[in-house]
């Protein structure tokens, strides 16, 4: 591993202490004075500031904290972000010709039945929402427990479908429109996963005002969307994918998914 990758690991560790330091990072950080000064110079050069030395703050509580600087992380494709098949059902997934969303026949119907059973427990729904609202921390703490995002889209689809009856989908101009786009299987199914994720964030964030419960969470959503859309050319896929999970979690939370289920 090179020094630069260890620098990013150290910054990530400071923001999220549960993320372990990689082998050799401590030696870089606690070397002699000469080595430390060299490291500091390199750190400032790479990061553009000394923000890496700020210790982790408490969870987001004010609107100003929502517009936070987001980490750029080296990305290696994760199956939980790119896998299209759901629950190991052959020919499942939004882009599959056998999916047939909204029909009683098709892999979409089969997956929906499993999904409703899997998330029948309020406790499990609560854990899911918490994992989405703080995806970086969750991935660091439970690296093998991340729910595939294709399943998250299915959960959202079922929640929006249910929300048509009680208005929790935002009503006219709300998430029924996003569900239609998702079922169309083009805008969020681009061959470039980065484009798909950015499209999803854009569409979901634009309609959040139809379900948001207060000004603080609305500002949080706007900040996430505005920031990532403004600098996506410089953001890594990992950062974009984590933002996509966060906005999905905010929607499920605001809709009352924990209490209402699917």
């Amino acid at each position: 591993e090179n020094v630069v990758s260890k620098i990013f690991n150290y910054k990530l560790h400071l923001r999220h202490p549960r993320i372990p330091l990689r082998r050799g990072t401590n030696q870089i950080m606690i070397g002699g004075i000469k080595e430390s000064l060299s490291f500091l110079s390199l750190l400032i050069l790479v990061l553009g500031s000394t923000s890496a030395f700020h210790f982790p703050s408490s969870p987001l509580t004010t609107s100003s904290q929502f517009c936070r600087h987001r980490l750029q992380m080296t990305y290696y494709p994760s199956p939980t972000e790119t896998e299209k098949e759901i629950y190991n059902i052959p020919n499942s997934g939004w882009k599959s010709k056998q999916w047939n969303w909204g029909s009683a026949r098709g892999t979409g119907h089969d997956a929906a039945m499993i999904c409703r059973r899997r998330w029948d427990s309020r406790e499990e729904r609560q854990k899911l929402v918490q994992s989405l609202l703080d995806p970086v921390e969750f991935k660091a703490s439970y690296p093998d427990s991340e729910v595939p995002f294709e399943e998250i889209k299915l959960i959202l689809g079922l929640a929006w479908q249910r929300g048509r009856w009680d208005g929790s989908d935002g009503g006219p101009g709300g998430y029924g429109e996003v569900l239609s786009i998702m079922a169309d299987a083009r805008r969020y199914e681009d061959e470039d996963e980065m484009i798909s994720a950015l499209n999803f964030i854009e569409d979901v964030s634009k309609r959040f005002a139809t379900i948001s419960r207060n000004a603080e969470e609305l500002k949080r959503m706007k900040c996430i969307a505005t920031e990532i859309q403004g600098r996506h050319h410089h953001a890594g896929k990992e950062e974009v994918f984590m933002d996509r999970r966060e906005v999905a979690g905010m929607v499920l939370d605001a809709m009352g998914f924990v209490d209402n289920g699917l």
Side-chain angles (χ1 to χ4, degrees), residues 160 167-175 177-178 201-223 225 247 250-252 254-255:
W160 292 333
S168 61
D169 69 339
Y175 288 99
E177 295 179 357
V178 181
I201 293 170
E202 178 182 359
D203 292 351
V204 168
S205 63
K206 281 183 177 179
R207 293 164 175 83
F208 192 64
T210 64
I211 64 169
S212 62
R213 297 162 294 186
N214 55 64
E216 290 297 320
E217 64 179 16
L218 181 58
K219 184 175 180 64
R220 176 180 179 179
M221 176 67 83
K222 287 181 177 178
C223 286
V247 299
M250 290 183 67
V251 169
L252 288 173
M255 287 185 68

Side-chain angles (χ1 to χ4, degrees), residues 81-240:
E81 303 294 349
T82 59
E83 177 63 45
K84 297 303 180 183
E85 194 173 271
I86 305 176
Y87 303 137
N88 296 318
I89 299 174
N91 300 312
S92 61
W94 291 89
K95 200 171 184 178
S96 171
K97 292 182 179 180
Q98 282 74 48
W99 186 243
N100 293 333
W101 179 256
S103 171
R105 302 179 65 178
T107 56
H109 176 71
D110 298 339
M113 291 178 62
I114 297 174
C115 187
R116 288 190 174 98
R117 289 197 301 267
R118 180 176 182 185
W119 302 107
D120 187 51
S121 163
R122 186 186 188 283
E123 181 181 0
E124 291 303 311
R125 295 195 297 270
Q126 180 69 59
K127 290 179 181 178
L128 174 65
V129 170
Q130 289 174 344
S131 75
L132 293 171
L133 291 177
D134 196 353
V136 176
E137 176 72 12
F138 182 82
K139 191 170 186 176
S141 303
Y142 310 100
D144 299 322
S145 300
E146 198 171 52
V147 176
F149 197 76
E150 198 73 357
E151 182 178 354
I152 299 300
K153 286 160 61 181
L154 174 58
I155 293 168
L156 285 167
L158 291 173
W160 292 333
Q161 193 177 62
R162 180 189 183 281
R164 289 183 303 180
W165 306 108
D166 61 11
S168 61
D169 69 339
Y175 288 99
E177 295 179 357
V178 181
L179 178 56
S180 296
I181 295 171
M182 196 154 64
D184 187 52
R186 286 184 289 182
R187 184 163 166 80
Y188 311 141
E189 308 298 333
D190 195 276
E191 291 184 4
D192 187 328
E193 293 287 346
M194 186 87 145
I195 293 176
S196 293
L198 289 168
N199 287 342
F200 180 88
I201 293 170
E202 178 182 359
D203 292 351
V204 168
S205 63
K206 281 183 177 179
R207 293 164 175 83
F208 192 64
T210 64
I211 64 169
S212 62
R213 297 162 294 186
N214 55 64
E216 290 297 320
E217 64 179 16
L218 181 58
K219 184 175 180 64
R220 176 180 179 179
M221 176 67 83
K222 287 181 177 178
C223 286
I224 293 172
T226 301
E227 190 174 78
I228 201 62
Q229 293 290 346
R231 55 186 294 276
H232 68 268
H233 293 297
H234 307 290
K237 285 187 178 180
E238 179 77 0
E239 183 179 357
V240 175

